[in-house]
Amino acid sequence: MKQPHQPRRSIAVVVDDDAAQRFLSGTLFEEADFEVAECSTADEAWELIQARRDDVQLLFTDIYLPGSMDGIELARRVHDALPEVPVIVTSGAAGERIHELPPRAEFLAKPWRPLDLLIRAERFRA
């Protein structure tokens, strides 16, 4: 007997080099019914996004990350390749870098309240 087709859940890509922040963010996105893909670097996230581009519905990234690119560069790449994917960028020390965000990217200052992130996640659910 053929199994019924299970629709894929939309993926929220969560990028932060702080494991506790990644876990908290991921848990909140799961509460909003996203499948969560956690990454500790922008490079890792970009590879995942390219491989699963049809499933990615949201990017949540810190600005300051180890590796060859930071969260702002990742946000720009996602904006250029997948302009329909919402981007939320976070940092506790963004300063003048906020003006470098791509169009329509949202900034959420750290420390953020879990409810604030959950509200944004719900808004971006398809």
Side-chain angles (χ1 to χ4, degrees), residues 55-92:
D55 301 324
V56 174
Q57 188 175 344
L58 178 70
L59 170 65
F60 180 67
T61 184
D62 192 13
I63 289 178
Y64 298 102
L65 299 165
S68 70
M69 74 174 111
D70 63 13
I72 290 178
E73 177 61 25
L74 176 62
R76 285 188 194 132
R77 287 185 184 193
V78 169
H79 171 74
D80 291 345
L82 301 165
E84 71 282 1
V85 172
V87 175
I88 304 170
V89 178
T90 189
S91 180

Side-chain angles (χ1 to χ4, degrees), residues 18-38:
D18 181 308
Q21 285 287 320
R22 255 192 340 267
F23 177 78
L24 175 59
S25 304
T27 300
L28 293 167
F29 284 113
E30 285 173 347
E31 286 294 316
D33 203 31
F34 282 93
E35 177 183 330
V36 174
E38 295 182 12

Side-chain angles (χ1 to χ4, degrees), residues 63-64 72 76 89-103 105-110:
I63 289 178
Y64 298 102
I72 290 178
R76 285 188 194 132
V89 178
T90 189
S91 180
E96 70 263 0
R97 301 231 36 218
I98 293 172
H99 78 279
E100 298 176 41
L101 296 177
E106 292 187 18
F107 179 75
L108 182 61
K110 285 183 179 178

